[in-house]
Amino acid sequence: MVDALKEKIMSKDKIVWSLIKAWIKHHVGPLATPNYCLLKNDLYQARNPGFNGLLAISHWPAHLISSDAEVMAAVEHYFLARCWVGTDEQPAWQMRAMSAIYNAGKHLGVTPQHNPNNPVTPPSALQSRFQEEGITAGEADLVANGGSAPVVASPPTY
């Protein structure tokens, strides 16, 4: 039973990484530098098709979309965290704190929906892991680009 659970977790991790790579390749090809903020915005649209005039799901190539909402949330939150930390919009410590509060709100059932037609995904270790992966990658992006994070930042709007 434990081995089957580990295998399922590993399988979803592989699916998320595969989608992250596919989204990057879709936008920039193998040699260009990815724009993680553009990818964050596109993932928000892909997860909320048609909401407030957003693009229909048919706009996105099928290989970029999973029917598993948990997987798509993990991909979106990876790019969101990487964008906000990597562009010095949010310091990593604050992004981690906001992620913890967001995830606690999910556990308590008080995290608000961005889209009334699309419920908030249930709390998940997969999403939390990929939020952290995005934060860590964003920290490396910031250093690589010679940037520096603010000590503290205003809470973002999304």
Side-chain angles (χ1 to χ4, degrees), residues 115-129:
N115 174 351
N117 304 318
N118 190 9
V120 173
T121 54
S124 111
L126 183 75
Q127 184 174 312
S128 294
R129 260 193 323 282

Side-chain angles (χ1 to χ4, degrees), residues 133-147:
E133 291 283 350
I135 292 168
T136 301
E139 288 176 302
D141 294 342
L142 190 62
V143 169
N145 293 322

